[in-house]
């Protein structure tokens, strides 16, 4: 269930969101993943819960890192575009097309920055569910003490 490597087009915000949605499948399916990997009490002896939880946690961490990298890459690119448009606006203050493009890019930048907050919420929710099911079998080295 590892996050597939995605090619992200930062110029199209809806495409950017669609890519993130696909990359968040592991978080959307965490309960199912835990139900299939972590055994119930009656099957505990047949499956190594520690190994299963550790593998799932590593998949989740990889997914978080790749999504954060994608978001930050796009924020960086769109920030550069905004700066270029600001410079063009200063050179041509009466150009309405530049102002229109600048506002559009600024809005896109704000939306992408909000995705970092969404990412934190998704990550917290997933880690909470993971901890509830795997706390007896595996404690990640970076896990908070609850």
């Amino acid at each position: 269930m590892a996050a597939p490597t995605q090619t992200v087009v930062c110029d199209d915000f809806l495409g950017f969101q669609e890519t993130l949605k696909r990359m968040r499948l592991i978080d959307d399916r965490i309960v199912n993943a835990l139900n299939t990997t972590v055994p119930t009490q009656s099957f505990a002896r047949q499956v190594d819960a520690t190994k299963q939880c550790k593998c799932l946690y590593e998949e989740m961490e990889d997914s978080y890192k790749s999504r954060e990298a994608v978001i930050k890459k796009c924020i960086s690119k769109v920030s550069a575009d905004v700066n270029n448009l600001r410079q063009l606006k200063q050179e041509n203050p009466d150009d309405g097309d530049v102002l229109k493009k600048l506002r559009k890019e600024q809005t896109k930048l704000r939306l992408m920055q909000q995705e970092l907050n969404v990412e934190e919420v998704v990550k917290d929710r997933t880690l909470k569910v993971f901890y509830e099911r795997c706390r007896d079998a595996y404690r990640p080295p970076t896990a908070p003490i609850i």
Side-chain angles (χ1 to χ4, degrees), residues 34 38-41 44 47-54 127-140 143-144 146:
L34 287 167
V38 180
T40 59
Q41 203 64 19
V47 176
D48 185 358
T50 302
K51 181 180 176 187
Q52 297 293 339
C53 286
K54 182 179 181 187
L127 287 174
K128 181 179 178 192
V129 171
F130 175 84
Y131 178 74
E132 288 171 359
R133 281 299 293 276
C134 284
R135 70 175 170 239
D136 294 333
Y138 176 72
R139 178 172 287 259
I146 299 176

Side-chain angles (χ1 to χ4, degrees), residues 15 18-19 60 75 80 82 91 104 113 116-117 123 146:
E18 187 62 33
T19 300
M60 290 169 21
I75 287 173
V82 166
E91 294 168 3
K104 182 180 176 186
Q113 289 168 335
L116 283 175
N117 295 330
K123 182 178 176 180
I146 299 176

Side-chain angles (χ1 to χ4, degrees), residues 14-15 18 22 24 50 55 62 81 86-87 92 98 107-109 111-113 120 124 146:
L14 292 176
E18 187 62 33
R22 284 191 304 270
R24 287 180 177 140
T50 302
C55 286
D62 289 344
D81 293 345
R86 280 186 183 144
Q87 189 171 4
N92 265 334
V98 172
T107 300
K108 187 190 319 177
L109 179 60
L111 292 171
M112 287 181 175
Q113 289 168 335
E120 280 301 310
D124 288 345
I146 299 176

